[in-house]
Amino acid sequence: MVQQQASGPREVRAARGTGLTTQGWQQEAALRMLMNNLDPEVAEHPSKLVVYGGTGKAARDWRSFDAMVKTLQGLKQDETMLVQSGRPVGVMQTHEWAPRVLIANSNLVGDWANWEEFRRLESLGLTMYGQMTAGSWIYIGTQGILQGTYETFAAVANKRFNGTLEGTITLTAGLGGMGGAQPLAVTMNGGVAICIDCDPSRISRRIEHRYLDVEAKDLSHALELATAARDKKQPLSIGVLGNAAELVPQLLAMDAPIDIVTDQTSAHDPLAYLPVGVAFDDMADYAAAKPAEFTQRARESMAAHVEAMVGFLDRGAEVFDYGNSIRGEAQLAGYDRAFAFPGFVPAYIRPLFCEGKGPFRWAALSGDPQDIHKTDKAVLDLFPENESLARWIKMAQEKVHFQGLPARICWLGYGERDKAGERFNDMVASGELSAPIVIGRDHLDCGSVASPYRETEAMLDGSDAIADWPLLNAMVNVASGASWVSIHHGGGVGIGRSIHAGQVTVADGTALAGEKIRRVLTNDPGMGVIRHVDAGYDRATEVAAERGVRVPMGEL
Ligand code: NAD
């Protein structure tokens, strides 16, 4: 539903129900998910087309948005719309098995791949920052990251705290689109969290959505609340307003009893990190007026922030980078111990990637929460032996507030995702679900990203920066019948630091969709298995052998 107004900001919300506004469900799904990304309940700054992650956008500008809507409304079953950094640039005749949309966002040639050049091109209106699921239209709000964050904190608990965060205090910053999942993920694991953000609206939004429990008056109050809850072994999340580059060093100086430290401010983009000494209300104008000066000051502040994190590490805390590139930025500011603590992928997630596991997600195009509850049950029935999956689905049902179209996420691996997808398609076919289901994933997945500061940090064979894998991943998904496929640059960790691919496939209940789903949801996680076999991970080699993933070099 789009209120008519010529190519300017307006409120956007996806259509619901079974009535098509396009020529078919594949196109309808792309249109609804584009609009859903900009739903005010979903997007962080919808009037600017910004979905999450600093400046991650769904469309380049409002004219491009209007052109994409109009094109999708008329797109035929054998046509494909081409999107170049958020702007539709062509429609070509393809065939029924081909994706209805192909997207390339934010890509730059290597030597030009830096923020300065990107900003120059962006200011000329030639590109946009697509982040990961912002520009590929499969962002589902904070739940998307909640599950991954929950799994990460569970892994921290398993590694250091006997399987639970009960009786521990986690310190973090950033309560934005992604970071807002941290307080709930910590309390779901039984722990106490102190979460700093400089934007008061982020704190109140997370309280409103029940991701955050309370707001402290100031830092001492936050610490008082935290230690009291910790001593009673009660989970509690506490928001505190301020600049992390000031408050984290203050907590270190206070010798605060912090057990775990991480961060999810928008550090990947120095223009989205508030420097010390700048008022939050002046941030946007200052960043726009003097980007180079702002960047320098932001990096210096990040160095102070990271130095304090290293201080906590030296005192024995569990410290990790949560994928926002803050270590890289601090290093650029001259702090030489920035990489003293690891990224979360090598520390906790890589063993899951070896099994082709990653963030499988789906949304109900009907808009009916019942459809998601039925799919929840289907997933639990399919994998009865998976206890952590059952625990997650139960907690998600209780705690997750749907944003926009009802959606669900859970981590599934090779040999599991295709089963879930085919079951959903059967449920659409039988009428058990009231409308088709869109199945996608984050670009942060086992075989879809090259990102040396995050997903591919410290690969066993040193192949961290090899970016052939995400390109093969995108090509394999196109060849397998995905509904839309995207190749992006710079998501998560910033321009110059990652190349990644996404796919979304629609379960519309047809036999053709079933065939496509079986191939896509086998081959897509299969890329994760072969990527890790190639890098020398034994677990991936075992998984390939057990589950029949063909790896030619192993067949000689
Ligand atoms: P966001 O822009 O929505 O939120 C960032 C928050 O940081 C904002 O609320 C902002 O007010 C706050 N902030 C900025 N500077 C601050 C400072 N100096 N002190 C305190 N608060 C400050 O971004 P997001 O979507 O939440 O993403 C956060 C970061 O995490 C990004 O860098 C993103 O790329 C990264 N990320 C990580 C993962 C992962 O899996 N770990 C996934 C996606 C994104």
Side-chain angles (χ1 to χ4, degrees), residues 44 52-54 131 145 174 176-179 197-199 202 242-244 264-268 272-274 322-324 344 444 454 492:
E44 293 292 314
Y52 77 95
Q131 262 287 9
I145 196 72
M178 300 277 106
D197 202 294
C198 57
D199 177 351
R202 300 297 90 181
N243 191 321
Q264 276 211 16
T265 56
S266 275
H268 70 278
Y273 182 97
L274 183 69
Y322 213 157
N324 64 355
F344 72 111
L444 185 171
R454 202 164 89 177

PDB file of all heavy atoms in Angstrom, residues 44 52-54 131 145 174 176-179 197-199 202 242-244 264-268 272-274 322-324 344 444 454 492, ligand 1:
ATOM      1  N   GLU A  44      14.713   1.495  10.219  1.00  0.00           N
ATOM      2  CA  GLU A  44      15.169   2.433  11.242  1.00  0.00           C
ATOM      3  C   GLU A  44      14.857   3.879  10.846  1.00  0.00           C
ATOM      4  O   GLU A  44      14.471   4.673  11.678  1.00  0.00           O
ATOM      5  CB  GLU A  44      16.684   2.255  11.466  1.00  0.00           C
ATOM      6  CG  GLU A  44      17.072   0.921  12.094  1.00  0.00           C
ATOM      7  CD  GLU A  44      16.607   0.782  13.554  1.00  0.00           C
ATOM      8  OE1 GLU A  44      16.788   1.717  14.330  1.00  0.00           O
ATOM      9  OE2 GLU A  44      16.046  -0.284  13.895  1.00  0.00           O
ATOM     10  N   TYR A  52      18.527  -0.378   7.983  1.00  0.00           N
ATOM     11  CA  TYR A  52      19.292  -0.687   9.198  1.00  0.00           C
ATOM     12  C   TYR A  52      20.758  -0.462   8.897  1.00  0.00           C
ATOM     13  O   TYR A  52      21.142  -0.112   7.773  1.00  0.00           O
ATOM     14  CB  TYR A  52      19.056  -2.142   9.656  1.00  0.00           C
ATOM     15  CG  TYR A  52      19.807  -3.166   8.842  1.00  0.00           C
ATOM     16  CD1 TYR A  52      21.049  -3.649   9.258  1.00  0.00           C
ATOM     17  CD2 TYR A  52      19.313  -3.621   7.629  1.00  0.00           C
ATOM     18  CE1 TYR A  52      21.760  -4.572   8.499  1.00  0.00           C
ATOM     19  CE2 TYR A  52      20.020  -4.532   6.865  1.00  0.00           C
ATOM     20  CZ  TYR A  52      21.238  -5.002   7.303  1.00  0.00           C
ATOM     21  OH  TYR A  52      21.954  -5.898   6.543  1.00  0.00           O
ATOM     22  N   GLY A  53      21.580  -0.681   9.944  1.00  0.00           N
ATOM     23  CA  GLY A  53      23.032  -0.691   9.751  1.00  0.00           C
ATOM     24  C   GLY A  53      23.574   0.628   9.260  1.00  0.00           C
ATOM     25  O   GLY A  53      24.192   0.682   8.184  1.00  0.00           O
ATOM     26  N   GLY A  54      23.332   1.699  10.018  1.00  0.00           N
ATOM     27  CA  GLY A  54      23.834   3.009   9.619  1.00  0.00           C
ATOM     28  C   GLY A  54      23.037   3.545   8.449  1.00  0.00           C
ATOM     29  O   GLY A  54      21.956   4.095   8.624  1.00  0.00           O
ATOM     30  N   GLN A 131      23.997  -2.389   2.509  1.00  0.00           N
ATOM     31  CA  GLN A 131      24.205  -3.288   3.653  1.00  0.00           C
ATOM     32  C   GLN A 131      24.021  -4.726   3.171  1.00  0.00           C
ATOM     33  O   GLN A 131      24.405  -5.032   2.054  1.00  0.00           O
ATOM     34  CB  GLN A 131      23.247  -2.952   4.807  1.00  0.00           C
ATOM     35  CG  GLN A 131      23.894  -2.085   5.878  1.00  0.00           C
ATOM     36  CD  GLN A 131      24.914  -2.836   6.748  1.00  0.00           C
ATOM     37  OE1 GLN A 131      25.286  -3.968   6.478  1.00  0.00           O
ATOM     38  NE2 GLN A 131      25.409  -2.171   7.783  1.00  0.00           N
ATOM     39  N   ILE A 145      18.411 -10.661  13.719  1.00  0.00           N
ATOM     40  CA  ILE A 145      19.701 -10.765  14.371  1.00  0.00           C
ATOM     41  C   ILE A 145      19.569 -11.400  15.757  1.00  0.00           C
ATOM     42  O   ILE A 145      20.531 -11.906  16.305  1.00  0.00           O
ATOM     43  CB  ILE A 145      20.364  -9.371  14.444  1.00  0.00           C
ATOM     44  CG1 ILE A 145      21.862  -9.467  14.761  1.00  0.00           C
ATOM     45  CG2 ILE A 145      19.669  -8.459  15.414  1.00  0.00           C
ATOM     46  CD1 ILE A 145      22.683  -9.991  13.642  1.00  0.00           C
ATOM     47  N   GLY A 174      25.308   0.222  21.398  1.00  0.00           N
ATOM     48  CA  GLY A 174      24.596   0.136  20.128  1.00  0.00           C
ATOM     49  C   GLY A 174      23.289  -0.603  20.287  1.00  0.00           C
ATOM     50  O   GLY A 174      23.261  -1.821  20.446  1.00  0.00           O
ATOM     51  N   GLY A 176      20.763  -0.192  17.954  1.00  0.00           N
ATOM     52  CA  GLY A 176      20.105   0.064  16.667  1.00  0.00           C
ATOM     53  C   GLY A 176      19.410  -1.176  16.125  1.00  0.00           C
ATOM     54  O   GLY A 176      19.071  -2.099  16.870  1.00  0.00           O
ATOM     55  N   GLY A 177      19.226  -1.185  14.808  1.00  0.00           N
ATOM     56  CA  GLY A 177      18.474  -2.258  14.153  1.00  0.00           C
ATOM     57  C   GLY A 177      19.015  -3.635  14.494  1.00  0.00           C
ATOM     58  O   GLY A 177      18.256  -4.572  14.741  1.00  0.00           O
ATOM     59  N   MET A 178      20.319  -3.783  14.490  1.00  0.00           N
ATOM     60  CA  MET A 178      20.933  -5.074  14.802  1.00  0.00           C
ATOM     61  C   MET A 178      21.281  -5.152  16.288  1.00  0.00           C
ATOM     62  O   MET A 178      20.958  -6.115  16.971  1.00  0.00           O
ATOM     63  CB  MET A 178      22.239  -5.248  14.003  1.00  0.00           C
ATOM     64  CG  MET A 178      22.085  -5.204  12.523  1.00  0.00           C
ATOM     65  SD  MET A 178      21.574  -6.796  11.904  1.00  0.00           S
ATOM     66  CE  MET A 178      19.891  -6.485  11.525  1.00  0.00           C
ATOM     67  N   GLY A 179      21.960  -4.118  16.761  1.00  0.00           N
ATOM     68  CA  GLY A 179      22.456  -4.115  18.138  1.00  0.00           C
ATOM     69  C   GLY A 179      21.338  -4.207  19.160  1.00  0.00           C
ATOM     70  O   GLY A 179      21.555  -4.662  20.288  1.00  0.00           O
ATOM     71  N   ASP A 197      23.756   3.561  24.522  1.00  0.00           N
ATOM     72  CA  ASP A 197      23.497   4.162  23.207  1.00  0.00           C
ATOM     73  C   ASP A 197      23.405   5.673  23.391  1.00  0.00           C
ATOM     74  O   ASP A 197      22.936   6.158  24.425  1.00  0.00           O
ATOM     75  CB  ASP A 197      22.215   3.622  22.560  1.00  0.00           C
ATOM     76  CG  ASP A 197      22.236   3.814  21.046  1.00  0.00           C
ATOM     77  OD1 ASP A 197      22.221   4.986  20.585  1.00  0.00           O
ATOM     78  OD2 ASP A 197      22.289   2.802  20.313  1.00  0.00           O
ATOM     79  N   CYS A 198      23.838   6.411  22.364  1.00  0.00           N
ATOM     80  CA  CYS A 198      23.833   7.875  22.457  1.00  0.00           C
ATOM     81  C   CYS A 198      22.524   8.467  21.931  1.00  0.00           C
ATOM     82  O   CYS A 198      22.326   9.671  21.997  1.00  0.00           O
ATOM     83  CB  CYS A 198      25.023   8.448  21.699  1.00  0.00           C
ATOM     84  SG  CYS A 198      25.047   7.951  19.979  1.00  0.00           S
ATOM     85  N   ASP A 199      21.656   7.614  21.378  1.00  0.00           N
ATOM     86  CA  ASP A 199      20.401   8.111  20.804  1.00  0.00           C
ATOM     87  C   ASP A 199      19.247   7.677  21.724  1.00  0.00           C
ATOM     88  O   ASP A 199      18.926   6.496  21.809  1.00  0.00           O
ATOM     89  CB  ASP A 199      20.247   7.511  19.396  1.00  0.00           C
ATOM     90  CG  ASP A 199      18.934   7.901  18.723  1.00  0.00           C
ATOM     91  OD1 ASP A 199      18.069   8.495  19.400  1.00  0.00           O
ATOM     92  OD2 ASP A 199      18.773   7.585  17.536  1.00  0.00           O
ATOM     93  N   ARG A 202      16.559   5.242  20.428  1.00  0.00           N
ATOM     94  CA  ARG A 202      16.887   3.811  20.285  1.00  0.00           C
ATOM     95  C   ARG A 202      16.573   3.082  21.595  1.00  0.00           C
ATOM     96  O   ARG A 202      16.075   1.967  21.595  1.00  0.00           O
ATOM     97  CB  ARG A 202      18.369   3.600  19.965  1.00  0.00           C
ATOM     98  CG  ARG A 202      18.880   4.245  18.693  1.00  0.00           C
ATOM     99  CD  ARG A 202      18.243   3.709  17.463  1.00  0.00           C
ATOM    100  NE  ARG A 202      17.053   4.480  17.148  1.00  0.00           N
ATOM    101  CZ  ARG A 202      16.241   4.266  16.140  1.00  0.00           C
ATOM    102  NH1 ARG A 202      16.460   3.271  15.317  1.00  0.00           N
ATOM    103  NH2 ARG A 202      15.189   5.018  15.925  1.00  0.00           N
ATOM    104  N   GLY A 242      24.452   7.620  26.535  1.00  0.00           N
ATOM    105  CA  GLY A 242      25.778   8.227  26.578  1.00  0.00           C
ATOM    106  C   GLY A 242      26.631   7.758  25.422  1.00  0.00           C
ATOM    107  O   GLY A 242      26.188   6.968  24.578  1.00  0.00           O
ATOM    108  N   ASN A 243      27.861   8.270  25.392  1.00  0.00           N
ATOM    109  CA  ASN A 243      28.799   7.905  24.333  1.00  0.00           C
ATOM    110  C   ASN A 243      29.673   6.744  24.828  1.00  0.00           C
ATOM    111  O   ASN A 243      30.345   6.858  25.852  1.00  0.00           O
ATOM    112  CB  ASN A 243      29.670   9.115  23.981  1.00  0.00           C
ATOM    113  CG  ASN A 243      30.459   8.867  22.721  1.00  0.00           C
ATOM    114  OD1 ASN A 243      30.952   7.766  22.493  1.00  0.00           O
ATOM    115  ND2 ASN A 243      30.568   9.884  21.892  1.00  0.00           N
ATOM    116  N   ALA A 244      29.660   5.647  24.088  1.00  0.00           N
ATOM    117  CA  ALA A 244      30.408   4.457  24.514  1.00  0.00           C
ATOM    118  C   ALA A 244      31.898   4.753  24.636  1.00  0.00           C
ATOM    119  O   ALA A 244      32.582   4.169  25.482  1.00  0.00           O
ATOM    120  CB  ALA A 244      30.188   3.321  23.520  1.00  0.00           C
ATOM    121  N   GLN A 264      28.110  -3.109  19.366  1.00  0.00           N
ATOM    122  CA  GLN A 264      27.446  -3.060  18.054  1.00  0.00           C
ATOM    123  C   GLN A 264      27.014  -1.643  17.696  1.00  0.00           C
ATOM    124  O   GLN A 264      25.902  -1.425  17.211  1.00  0.00           O
ATOM    125  CB  GLN A 264      26.268  -4.028  17.977  1.00  0.00           C
ATOM    126  CG  GLN A 264      26.729  -5.428  17.607  1.00  0.00           C
ATOM    127  CD  GLN A 264      25.703  -6.214  16.811  1.00  0.00           C
ATOM    128  OE1 GLN A 264      24.744  -5.687  16.267  1.00  0.00           O
ATOM    129  NE2 GLN A 264      25.900  -7.500  16.746  1.00  0.00           N
ATOM    130  N   THR A 265      27.866  -0.668  17.955  1.00  0.00           N
ATOM    131  CA  THR A 265      27.622   0.652  17.368  1.00  0.00           C
ATOM    132  C   THR A 265      27.900   0.528  15.872  1.00  0.00           C
ATOM    133  O   THR A 265      28.508  -0.443  15.424  1.00  0.00           O
ATOM    134  CB  THR A 265      28.567   1.698  17.978  1.00  0.00           C
ATOM    135  OG1 THR A 265      29.904   1.233  17.784  1.00  0.00           O
ATOM    136  CG2 THR A 265      28.298   1.910  19.457  1.00  0.00           C
ATOM    137  N   SER A 266      27.502   1.535  15.100  1.00  0.00           N
ATOM    138  CA  SER A 266      27.729   1.476  13.649  1.00  0.00           C
ATOM    139  C   SER A 266      29.161   1.851  13.301  1.00  0.00           C
ATOM    140  O   SER A 266      29.406   2.755  12.502  1.00  0.00           O
ATOM    141  CB  SER A 266      26.768   2.437  12.938  1.00  0.00           C
ATOM    142  OG  SER A 266      25.565   1.818  12.726  1.00  0.00           O
ATOM    143  N   ALA A 267      30.100   1.135  13.886  1.00  0.00           N
ATOM    144  CA  ALA A 267      31.504   1.495  13.718  1.00  0.00           C
ATOM    145  C   ALA A 267      32.018   1.241  12.305  1.00  0.00           C
ATOM    146  O   ALA A 267      33.014   1.825  11.890  1.00  0.00           O
ATOM    147  CB  ALA A 267      32.342   0.704  14.723  1.00  0.00           C
ATOM    148  N   HIS A 268      31.300   0.374  11.555  1.00  0.00           N
ATOM    149  CA  HIS A 268      31.766   0.071  10.196  1.00  0.00           C
ATOM    150  C   HIS A 268      31.771   1.330   9.330  1.00  0.00           C
ATOM    151  O   HIS A 268      32.443   1.389   8.319  1.00  0.00           O
ATOM    152  CB  HIS A 268      30.853  -0.986   9.554  1.00  0.00           C
ATOM    153  CG  HIS A 268      29.496  -0.441   9.247  1.00  0.00           C
ATOM    154  ND1 HIS A 268      28.504  -0.347  10.185  1.00  0.00           N
ATOM    155  CD2 HIS A 268      28.988   0.103   8.122  1.00  0.00           C
ATOM    156  CE1 HIS A 268      27.435   0.205   9.637  1.00  0.00           C
ATOM    157  NE2 HIS A 268      27.714   0.494   8.398  1.00  0.00           N
ATOM    158  N   ALA A 272      28.852   7.262  11.068  1.00  0.00           N
ATOM    159  CA  ALA A 272      27.678   6.877  11.869  1.00  0.00           C
ATOM    160  C   ALA A 272      28.058   6.584  13.314  1.00  0.00           C
ATOM    161  O   ALA A 272      27.235   6.110  14.089  1.00  0.00           O
ATOM    162  CB  ALA A 272      26.989   5.660  11.242  1.00  0.00           C
ATOM    163  N   TYR A 273      29.302   6.859  13.688  1.00  0.00           N
ATOM    164  CA  TYR A 273      29.757   6.641  15.075  1.00  0.00           C
ATOM    165  C   TYR A 273      29.973   8.019  15.700  1.00  0.00           C
ATOM    166  O   TYR A 273      30.718   8.850  15.175  1.00  0.00           O
ATOM    167  CB  TYR A 273      31.068   5.839  15.065  1.00  0.00           C
ATOM    168  CG  TYR A 273      31.591   5.516  16.457  1.00  0.00           C
ATOM    169  CD1 TYR A 273      31.332   4.282  17.039  1.00  0.00           C
ATOM    170  CD2 TYR A 273      32.323   6.447  17.186  1.00  0.00           C
ATOM    171  CE1 TYR A 273      31.806   3.976  18.316  1.00  0.00           C
ATOM    172  CE2 TYR A 273      32.801   6.157  18.463  1.00  0.00           C
ATOM    173  CZ  TYR A 273      32.534   4.920  19.016  1.00  0.00           C
ATOM    174  OH  TYR A 273      33.000   4.621  20.272  1.00  0.00           O
ATOM    175  N   LEU A 274      29.317   8.258  16.832  1.00  0.00           N
ATOM    176  CA  LEU A 274      29.381   9.590  17.455  1.00  0.00           C
ATOM    177  C   LEU A 274      30.742   9.833  18.119  1.00  0.00           C
ATOM    178  O   LEU A 274      31.112   9.126  19.056  1.00  0.00           O
ATOM    179  CB  LEU A 274      28.273   9.721  18.505  1.00  0.00           C
ATOM    180  CG  LEU A 274      28.177  11.090  19.195  1.00  0.00           C
ATOM    181  CD1 LEU A 274      27.694  12.156  18.214  1.00  0.00           C
ATOM    182  CD2 LEU A 274      27.241  11.027  20.397  1.00  0.00           C
ATOM    183  N   TYR A 322      31.895  -7.731  17.540  1.00  0.00           N
ATOM    184  CA  TYR A 322      30.656  -8.313  17.035  1.00  0.00           C
ATOM    185  C   TYR A 322      30.365  -7.919  15.594  1.00  0.00           C
ATOM    186  O   TYR A 322      29.230  -7.617  15.218  1.00  0.00           O
ATOM    187  CB  TYR A 322      29.468  -7.965  17.962  1.00  0.00           C
ATOM    188  CG  TYR A 322      28.454  -9.085  17.978  1.00  0.00           C
ATOM    189  CD1 TYR A 322      27.564  -9.261  19.017  1.00  0.00           C
ATOM    190  CD2 TYR A 322      28.413 -10.007  16.932  1.00  0.00           C
ATOM    191  CE1 TYR A 322      26.659 -10.306  19.021  1.00  0.00           C
ATOM    192  CE2 TYR A 322      27.531 -11.047  16.923  1.00  0.00           C
ATOM    193  CZ  TYR A 322      26.649 -11.196  17.966  1.00  0.00           C
ATOM    194  OH  TYR A 322      25.768 -12.222  17.961  1.00  0.00           O
ATOM    195  N   GLY A 323      31.403  -7.905  14.788  1.00  0.00           N
ATOM    196  CA  GLY A 323      31.187  -7.774  13.350  1.00  0.00           C
ATOM    197  C   GLY A 323      30.931  -6.366  12.871  1.00  0.00           C
ATOM    198  O   GLY A 323      30.306  -6.184  11.821  1.00  0.00           O
ATOM    199  N   ASN A 324      31.389  -5.348  13.590  1.00  0.00           N
ATOM    200  CA  ASN A 324      31.147  -3.983  13.109  1.00  0.00           C
ATOM    201  C   ASN A 324      32.433  -3.264  12.739  1.00  0.00           C
ATOM    202  O   ASN A 324      32.405  -2.062  12.481  1.00  0.00           O
ATOM    203  CB  ASN A 324      30.359  -3.180  14.147  1.00  0.00           C
ATOM    204  CG  ASN A 324      31.134  -2.985  15.437  1.00  0.00           C
ATOM    205  OD1 ASN A 324      32.216  -3.525  15.599  1.00  0.00           O
ATOM    206  ND2 ASN A 324      30.584  -2.217  16.347  1.00  0.00           N
ATOM    207  N   PHE A 344      33.769 -12.518  16.439  1.00  0.00           N
ATOM    208  CA  PHE A 344      32.872 -13.555  16.967  1.00  0.00           C
ATOM    209  C   PHE A 344      32.801 -14.787  16.072  1.00  0.00           C
ATOM    210  O   PHE A 344      32.508 -15.871  16.539  1.00  0.00           O
ATOM    211  CB  PHE A 344      31.459 -12.990  17.216  1.00  0.00           C
ATOM    212  CG  PHE A 344      30.665 -12.712  15.962  1.00  0.00           C
ATOM    213  CD1 PHE A 344      29.559 -13.470  15.633  1.00  0.00           C
ATOM    214  CD2 PHE A 344      31.011 -11.677  15.119  1.00  0.00           C
ATOM    215  CE1 PHE A 344      28.820 -13.217  14.494  1.00  0.00           C
ATOM    216  CE2 PHE A 344      30.280 -11.408  13.971  1.00  0.00           C
ATOM    217  CZ  PHE A 344      29.190 -12.183  13.657  1.00  0.00           C
ATOM    218  N   LEU A 444      25.178 -12.830   5.875  1.00  0.00           N
ATOM    219  CA  LEU A 444      26.081 -13.433   6.855  1.00  0.00           C
ATOM    220  C   LEU A 444      25.697 -14.904   6.953  1.00  0.00           C
ATOM    221  O   LEU A 444      24.836 -15.283   7.728  1.00  0.00           O
ATOM    222  CB  LEU A 444      25.896 -12.751   8.219  1.00  0.00           C
ATOM    223  CG  LEU A 444      26.801 -13.130   9.384  1.00  0.00           C
ATOM    224  CD1 LEU A 444      26.572 -12.179  10.538  1.00  0.00           C
ATOM    225  CD2 LEU A 444      26.630 -14.559   9.881  1.00  0.00           C
ATOM    226  N   ARG A 454      35.291 -10.435   9.611  1.00  0.00           N
ATOM    227  CA  ARG A 454      34.113 -11.023  10.218  1.00  0.00           C
ATOM    228  C   ARG A 454      33.956 -12.486   9.813  1.00  0.00           C
ATOM    229  O   ARG A 454      34.619 -13.346  10.365  1.00  0.00           O
ATOM    230  CB  ARG A 454      32.861 -10.188   9.885  1.00  0.00           C
ATOM    231  CG  ARG A 454      31.759 -10.410  10.879  1.00  0.00           C
ATOM    232  CD  ARG A 454      30.696  -9.347  10.803  1.00  0.00           C
ATOM    233  NE  ARG A 454      29.655  -9.684   9.845  1.00  0.00           N
ATOM    234  CZ  ARG A 454      28.585  -8.928   9.635  1.00  0.00           C
ATOM    235  NH1 ARG A 454      28.424  -7.803  10.301  1.00  0.00           N
ATOM    236  NH2 ARG A 454      27.675  -9.275   8.769  1.00  0.00           N
ATOM    237  N   GLY A 492      27.887  -4.903   6.497  1.00  0.00           N
ATOM    238  CA  GLY A 492      28.350  -5.309   7.829  1.00  0.00           C
ATOM    239  C   GLY A 492      29.578  -4.549   8.278  1.00  0.00           C
ATOM    240  O   GLY A 492      29.535  -3.811   9.244  1.00  0.00           O
TER     241      GLY A 492
HETATM  242  P1  NAD B   1      22.332   1.099  13.595  1.00  0.00           P
HETATM  243  O1  NAD B   1      22.916   2.225  12.822  1.00  0.00           O
HETATM  244  O2  NAD B   1      20.892   0.798  13.471  1.00  0.00           O
HETATM  245  O3  NAD B   1      22.656   1.323  15.148  1.00  0.00           O
HETATM  246  C1  NAD B   1      23.893   1.768  15.627  1.00  0.00           C
HETATM  247  C2  NAD B   1      23.659   2.399  17.000  1.00  0.00           C
HETATM  248  O4  NAD B   1      24.909   2.842  17.521  1.00  0.00           O
HETATM  249  C3  NAD B   1      22.736   3.621  16.941  1.00  0.00           C
HETATM  250  O5  NAD B   1      21.640   3.422  17.795  1.00  0.00           O
HETATM  251  C4  NAD B   1      23.646   4.765  17.380  1.00  0.00           C
HETATM  252  O6  NAD B   1      22.927   5.731  18.127  1.00  0.00           O
HETATM  253  C5  NAD B   1      24.674   4.061  18.224  1.00  0.00           C
HETATM  254  N1  NAD B   1      25.943   4.764  18.347  1.00  0.00           N
HETATM  255  C6  NAD B   1      26.703   5.333  17.368  1.00  0.00           C
HETATM  256  N2  NAD B   1      27.811   5.870  17.906  1.00  0.00           N
HETATM  257  C7  NAD B   1      27.746   5.639  19.241  1.00  0.00           C
HETATM  258  C8  NAD B   1      28.607   5.952  20.313  1.00  0.00           C
HETATM  259  N3  NAD B   1      29.753   6.593  20.132  1.00  0.00           N
HETATM  260  N4  NAD B   1      28.218   5.590  21.559  1.00  0.00           N
HETATM  261  C9  NAD B   1      27.036   4.947  21.790  1.00  0.00           C
HETATM  262  N5  NAD B   1      26.185   4.628  20.798  1.00  0.00           N
HETATM  263  C10 NAD B   1      26.558   4.958  19.529  1.00  0.00           C
HETATM  264  O7  NAD B   1      23.215  -0.172  13.225  1.00  0.00           O
HETATM  265  P2  NAD B   1      22.875  -1.725  13.479  1.00  0.00           P
HETATM  266  O8  NAD B   1      22.033  -2.221  12.370  1.00  0.00           O
HETATM  267  O9  NAD B   1      22.416  -1.940  14.865  1.00  0.00           O
HETATM  268  O10 NAD B   1      24.317  -2.367  13.265  1.00  0.00           O
HETATM  269  C11 NAD B   1      25.338  -2.117  14.224  1.00  0.00           C
HETATM  270  C12 NAD B   1      26.662  -2.639  13.726  1.00  0.00           C
HETATM  271  O11 NAD B   1      26.688  -4.067  13.757  1.00  0.00           O
HETATM  272  C13 NAD B   1      26.976  -2.238  12.299  1.00  0.00           C
HETATM  273  O12 NAD B   1      28.331  -1.905  12.195  1.00  0.00           O
HETATM  274  C14 NAD B   1      26.659  -3.458  11.520  1.00  0.00           C
HETATM  275  O13 NAD B   1      27.363  -3.519  10.309  1.00  0.00           O
HETATM  276  C15 NAD B   1      27.091  -4.543  12.472  1.00  0.00           C
HETATM  277  N6  NAD B   1      26.385  -5.790  12.211  1.00  0.00           N
HETATM  278  C16 NAD B   1      26.770  -6.910  12.844  1.00  0.00           C
HETATM  279  C17 NAD B   1      26.120  -8.101  12.594  1.00  0.00           C
HETATM  280  C18 NAD B   1      26.490  -9.356  13.275  1.00  0.00           C
HETATM  281  O14 NAD B   1      26.007 -10.382  12.944  1.00  0.00           O
HETATM  282  N7  NAD B   1      27.289  -9.310  14.271  1.00  0.00           N
HETATM  283  C19 NAD B   1      25.082  -8.159  11.696  1.00  0.00           C
HETATM  284  C20 NAD B   1      24.707  -7.000  11.077  1.00  0.00           C
HETATM  285  C21 NAD B   1      25.337  -5.831  11.359  1.00  0.00           C
END
